[in-house]
């Protein structure tokens, strides 16, 4: 066996892979590769090819995660896993999630090419559907790995009536054997990700060591009034569902600003989906649907806000003379604390790579927040242009991606020595 060389990443190959994956997008709406679509599958095929070319054993688990694995020298040791997600939001970026999957592949390649045989197995995981999917659920694959993908979720449907369980089968998952996706054999889960915020760029710091990840609760509210003619329906007789939605949205903003300013913990709330039917300029809307995205470092703040949202949306329905037809929790993830030993190892690795690093909290949700339920989990942030994300302008430089990937590699090598 050749003498092992020091494992080192190939920055050009890393960047080429990231750009290549970015070309797999809905034409005219870059960058869009929504989970469970043919484009997503094309992206998966690309990733599978890269994993197999790197000599990893590749499988799809029952929860639809794409997993590549390199065995270690000590059979039976738990695996050191790295990964993120390859699906995007509509008209999103080329880095959110994708950078973490591509970086993990490059780290596995570098280890294998160096001839280094680690003690622990190493896994690369592309977690299925981290972004809120057409079914309304996010982090589907990582929920499956931590036994939080239940029958009610598998029965969720999309706008066309497709059931999540069937969509899972279509990507190679197996809802009947979903329990087999649960992981109890991981020593660590590491996720490299763009910061999706402005701090690292503003501070000119290349590495963020994530301290904690917010919990996210998403609530769907439907109002039902009466569609009517915009010209002949007198104002005092209208039952305008969009009016109820607008009144609710205004209260959401007022109360979220107050909670965020109170300094009791990180808090934000957003309405990114507001639909009105039938959607004619000369029709008083008969129906309105909003989805509220609530995030906090403290579940008690989320609970307090949700109770207020319940009361406010009822009052808005009364004011608009409509019915509040639904108030449903679509998903509810708890905040996660990143593992102290992994964070210390990331800092040591950054130092060894000559990269400055700072602690930073994550206002974005991530698969690592779920993986923390079954193993020590931590994240490495890299800077992104003006903190932009979930938009085509999302960008990190080849140097920023390479620096983060080198730190990820060094962290894996050090954890292999430090962990049992
Ligand atoms: O929404 C989020 O925080 C993540 O980017 N999916
Ligand atoms: Mn995202
Ligand atoms: Mn992401």
């Amino acid at each position: 066996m050749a003498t092992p060389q020091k494992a080192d990443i190939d920055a050009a190959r890393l960047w080429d892979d990231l750009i290549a994956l970015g070309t797999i997008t809905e034409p005219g709406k870059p960058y869009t590769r929504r989970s469970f679509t043919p484009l997503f599958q094309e992206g998966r095929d690309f990733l599978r090819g890269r994993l197999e070319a790197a000599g990893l054993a590749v499988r799809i688990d029952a929860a639809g995660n794409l997993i590549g694995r390199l065995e270690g020298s000590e059979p039976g040791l738990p695996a050191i896993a790295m990964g993120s997600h390859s699906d995007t939001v509509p008209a999103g970026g080329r880095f959110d999630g994708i950078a973490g999957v591509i970086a993990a592949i490059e780290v596995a390649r570098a280890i294998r090419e160096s001839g280094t045989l680690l003690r622990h197995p190493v896994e690369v995981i592309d977690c299925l559907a981290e972004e809120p999917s057409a079914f309304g659920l996010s982090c589907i694959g990582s929920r499956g790995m931590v036994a939080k993908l239940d029958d009610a979720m598998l029965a969720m449907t999309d706008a066309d009536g497709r059931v999540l369980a069937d969509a899972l089968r279509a990507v190679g998952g197996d809802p009947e054997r979903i329990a087999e996706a649960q992981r109890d054999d991981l020593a660590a889960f590491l996720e490299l990700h763009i910061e999706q915020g402005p701090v690292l760029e503003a501070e000119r710091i290349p590495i963020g060591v994530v301290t904690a990840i917010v919990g996210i609760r998403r609530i769907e509210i439907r109002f039902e009034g009466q569609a009517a003619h915009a010209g002949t329906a007198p104002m005092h007789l209208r039952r305008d569902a969009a009016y109820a939605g607008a009144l609710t949205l205004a209260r959401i903003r007022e109360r979220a600003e107050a909670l965020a300013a109170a300094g009791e913990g990180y808090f934000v709330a957003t309405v990114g989906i507001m639909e009105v039917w039938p959607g004619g300029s000369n029709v008083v809307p008969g129906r309105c649907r909003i989805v509220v995205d609530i995030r906090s470092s403290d579940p008690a703040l989320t609970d307090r806000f949700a109770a207020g949202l319940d009361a406010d949306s009822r009052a808005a329905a009364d004011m608009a003379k409509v019915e509040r037809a639904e108030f449903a929790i679509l998903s509810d993830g708890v905040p996660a604390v990143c593992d102290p030993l992994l964070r210390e190892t990331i800092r040591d690795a950054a130092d060894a790579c000559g990269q400055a690093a700072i602690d930073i909290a994550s206002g974005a949700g991530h698969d690592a927040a779920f993986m923390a339920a079954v193993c020590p989990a931590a994240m490495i942030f890299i800077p992104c242009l003006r903190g932009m994300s979930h938009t085509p302008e999302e960008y990190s430089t080849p140097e920023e991606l390479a620096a983060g990937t080198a730190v990820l590699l060094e962290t894996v090598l050090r954890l292999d020595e430090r962990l049992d």
Side-chain angles (χ1 to χ4, degrees):
M1 182 155 180
T3 312
Q5 310 296 317
K6 171 87 172 83
D8 199 5
I9 64 153
D10 179 331
R13 178 174 62 182
L14 169 70
W15 185 256
D16 289 348
D17 276 358
L18 181 117
I19 295 301
L21 186 51
T23 62
I24 305 174
T25 174
E26 282 184 28
K29 194 181 176 184
Y31 298 89
T32 304
R33 191 173 53 253
R34 298 289 287 144
S35 53
F36 303 107
T37 62
L39 276 171
F40 173 76
Q41 192 52 55
E42 194 181 328
R44 273 277 169 98
D45 294 344
F46 170 85
L47 293 171
R48 175 184 282 271
R50 286 296 188 271
L51 288 165
E52 288 172 344
L56 281 77
V58 182
R59 68 185 178 101
I60 301 275
D61 72 3
N65 299 297
L66 176 68
I67 300 173
R69 183 177 168 97
L70 278 180
E71 293 306 332
S73 62
E74 296 182 24
L77 279 186
I80 297 173
M82 309 167 274
S84 192
H85 61 95
S86 64
D87 61 309
T88 73
V89 296
R94 291 172 288 176
F95 295 80
D96 171 4
I98 293 122
V101 176
I102 295 293
I105 293 173
E106 180 56 33
V107 166
R109 261 189 308 234
I111 290 170
R112 185 157 168 75
E113 287 168 355
S114 70
T116 309
L117 187 59
L118 299 191
R119 295 173 51 235
H120 295 79
V122 167
E123 289 196 1
V124 173
I125 303 177
D126 171 30
C127 300
L128 177 66
E130 187 274 347
E131 300 293 359
S133 64
F135 302 91
L137 192 63
S138 60
C139 293
I140 292 174
S142 48
R143 289 174 197 269
M145 286 189 275
V146 303
K148 289 186 175 167
L149 189 61
D150 60 28
D151 290 344
M153 294 171 179
L154 290 168
M156 290 171 95
T157 56
D158 66 9
D160 301 323
R162 189 173 56 156
V163 179
L164 174 53
D166 293 334
L168 197 50
R169 283 187 199 91
V171 298
D174 186 345
E176 277 69 40
R177 296 164 57 193
I178 201 68
E180 293 176 20
Q182 185 176 355
R183 303 303 298 264
D184 59 5
D185 59 343
L186 296 179
F189 180 80
L190 295 165
E191 182 169 6
L192 179 146
H193 204 287
I194 56 169
E195 178 198 339
Q196 298 178 297
V199 173
L200 293 179
E201 182 187 61
E203 307 277 339
R204 298 181 186 282
I205 300 281
I207 300 295
V209 184
V210 178
T211 54
I213 304 164
V214 289
I216 305 176
R217 183 177 301 175
R218 292 194 180 100
I219 293 174
E220 178 181 62
I221 307 176
R222 293 178 186 274
F223 297 101
E224 291 191 1
Q226 178 58 57
H229 193 295
T232 57
M235 295 309 292
H236 69 288
L237 296 180
R238 291 183 177 204
R239 297 182 58 234
D240 182 341
Y243 179 39
L247 288 170
T248 303
L249 203 155
R251 285 292 294 142
I252 286 167
R253 178 63 188 241
E254 288 158 15
R255 295 181 62 253
E257 283 187 344
L259 262 179
E264 296 173 54
Y266 185 87
F267 189 88
V268 288
T270 311
V271 176
I273 293 177
M274 183 168 194
E275 295 164 338
V276 297
W277 286 270
S281 60
N282 61 347
V283 183
V284 175
R287 287 191 292 131
C288 175
R289 169 180 178 262
I290 64 174
V291 176
V292 192
D293 176 298
I294 309 162
R295 303 184 184 210
S296 180
S297 54
D298 178 354
L301 292 183
T302 300
D303 289 341
R304 197 187 321 163
F305 181 84
L309 177 63
D310 187 8
D312 289 343
S313 55
R314 286 180 192 283
D318 293 345
M319 172 81 87
K321 302 190 191 82
V322 305
E323 186 196 346
R324 193 188 76 174
E326 186 170 50
F327 184 92
I329 294 179
L330 289 179
S331 61
D332 199 2
V334 294
V337 175
C338 294
D339 179 78
L341 175 64
L342 269 53
R343 285 171 50 194
E344 180 193 319
T345 308
I346 293 169
R347 277 192 166 279
D348 293 345
D351 195 35
C353 293
Q355 301 292 344
I358 57 168
D359 284 353
I360 187 167
S362 176
H366 298 287
D367 291 305
F370 283 92
M371 298 307 287
V374 295
C375 68
M379 295 190 73
I380 297 170
F381 275 177
I382 62 172
C384 56
L385 184 62
R386 294 196 300 278
M388 293 186 288
S389 183
H390 286 188
T391 173
E393 293 90 351
E394 187 180 276
Y395 186 79
S396 294
T397 67
E399 295 72 26
E400 289 165 337
L401 179 61
T405 305
V407 171
L408 179 62
L409 169 60
E410 185 64 26
T411 301
V412 170
L413 297 176
R414 287 169 180 257
L415 285 178
D416 185 50
E417 292 168 8
R418 289 186 183 180
L419 296 176
D420 296 332

